[in-house]
Amino acid sequence: LMVMDLLAIGFQYVSALMVDALKIFQSPSPNFGNRRDYVTPKMVVLHYTAMKSSDDAIARMSDPKSEVSAHYLIDKFGKIIQLVDEQKRAWHAGRGCWGEINDVNSHSIGIELDYYPSIDESFDKRQLSSLNNLLFDILKRRPEIIPKSIIGHSDMAPERKRDPGKNFPWKKLSDKGLSIWPENVLDNGDVDWPIFKHNANIFGYRSANDTIEEWLNILNVFRLRFLPEQKGKLSPIDMGTMIALAKDWPHVKINNSQ
């Protein structure tokens, strides 16, 4: 890996200052395409690699046969490695939706964290510090991306993904202005699946077929991020938290004329 080479084929770096300040390294992957309709990214999706080493993850994301990639990988020691130019469409999100966005790959920047959930208990502080710095830089350069639009892979693919996992410190990220956290949560004792679904849809969660299995997946990934200790059936605290998220951080426009 070489320190950012501004002449690297396929890479269009925003500024030498950003490169120098973040000490970003490059390992260009061939796994990318153009963003559909040439849209600009409006969100960031956080993943974990679930591989034994960052080298293994880079090798997989650089193998054309794998058909996967991400814009950035941050290893356990905090090294930031760019694989795909932000202007290009990396292949990190697969099938999945969030809010009113159906093609997450075209609308997002993907960041992989070098983390193996069956081995690693917590994320390394150096890794999280680099993630914070990278996100601060992205938000500064791209005002169309706002903290509520920094989500987890599990948020947009609840039926098949669980990353970045229960140990990821979403609250600390929110405290730094890099994500969101529910506030003013009310526990009124009422449990109502239709109300939960309605507010989950407003916040951004999507269910393709509206089956109980899909909604249980959504409940599980929602808890994974916001209520990691919560278990069992839909509860008043689940209700209050989801209602607060939908009220303060909607990803779907509501038609109030009806």
Side-chain angles (χ1 to χ4, degrees):
L1 297 178
M2 300 176 294
V3 175
M4 282 283 203
D5 178 359
L6 298 180
L7 299 178
I9 296 174
F11 279 65
Q12 301 170 9
Y13 301 120
V14 176
S15 69
L17 179 61
M18 181 271 283
V19 171
D20 190 52
L22 289 179
K23 297 181 181 179
I24 296 178
F25 292 72
Q26 64 136 337
S27 180
S29 167
N31 298 348
F32 65 89
N34 290 324
R35 295 184 183 274
R36 290 172 183 165
D37 299 321
Y38 298 94
V39 297
T40 57
K42 298 177 177 64
M43 55 192 297
V44 174
V45 181
L46 303 181
H47 309 251
Y48 58 49
T49 60
M51 302 189 76
K52 292 184 178 180
S53 73
S54 60
D55 288 341
D56 289 345
I58 290 170
R60 184 166 189 267
M61 290 191 287
S62 301
D63 181 357
K65 294 180 181 178
S66 74
E67 297 185 347
V68 295
S69 62
H71 294 91
Y72 299 97
L73 180 145
I74 305 177
D75 75 9
K76 288 182 173 63
F77 307 103
K79 179 185 288 186
I80 304 172
I81 301 151
Q82 185 169 19
L83 293 94
V84 175
D85 186 337
E86 285 184 14
Q87 298 300 109
K88 298 299 183 179
R89 182 180 186 269
W91 305 336
H92 61 97
R95 295 175 292 104
C97 307
W98 180 251
E100 297 175 335
I101 294 175
N102 295 317
D103 178 7
V104 174
N105 276 332
S106 285
H107 288 83
S108 66
I109 294 171
I111 301 175
E112 290 275 0
L113 300 173
D114 176 22
Y115 180 86
Y116 200 155
S118 62
I119 296 176
D120 301 318
E121 182 172 341
S122 60
F123 289 83
D124 192 285
K125 292 181 179 179
R126 293 166 293 181
Q127 185 180 50
L128 294 174
S129 177
S130 291
L131 174 63
N132 292 341
N133 291 336
L134 179 58
L135 290 175
F136 275 125
D137 183 79
I138 290 172
L139 267 61
K140 182 179 179 180
R141 291 184 286 106
R142 297 186 176 277
E144 63 275 18
I145 299 178
I146 57 179
K148 76 171 185 178
S149 298
I150 297 174
I151 68 168
H153 197 189
S154 56
D155 291 318
M156 47 128 307
E159 77 284 359
R160 59 189 177 88
K161 295 297 180 181
R162 294 294 179 268
D163 53 321
K166 67 177 182 179
N167 293 324
F168 185 77
W170 284 108
K171 178 65 166 60
K172 290 182 179 179
L173 208 66
S174 174
D175 290 342
K176 295 180 179 297
L178 296 172
S179 186
I180 56 93
W181 195 257
E183 299 177 351
N184 303 315
V185 175
L186 299 177
D187 182 351
N188 59 12
D190 295 329
V191 174
D192 187 306
W193 266 107
I195 294 176
F196 180 84
K197 292 178 183 180
H198 174 72
N199 284 277
N201 283 329
I202 293 172
F203 178 58
Y205 290 109
R206 296 273 294 275
S207 170
N209 300 308
D210 197 28
T211 64
I212 186 60
E213 290 80 10
E214 288 184 352
W215 279 106
L216 287 174
N217 283 330
I218 289 172
L219 175 63
N220 288 335
V221 299
F222 151 75
R223 286 174 168 175
L224 196 67
R225 178 172 172 182
F226 297 109
L227 297 167
E229 304 305 319
Q230 189 69 21
K231 309 292 181 184
K233 297 179 180 180
L234 183 67
S235 69
I237 191 63
D238 295 317
M239 295 290 302
T241 303
M242 188 64 85
I243 290 170
L245 289 169
K247 178 179 180 293
D248 293 337
W249 312 108
H251 286 85
V252 174
K253 296 177 182 177
I254 305 302
N255 186 351
N256 293 320
S257 63
Q258 298 179 349

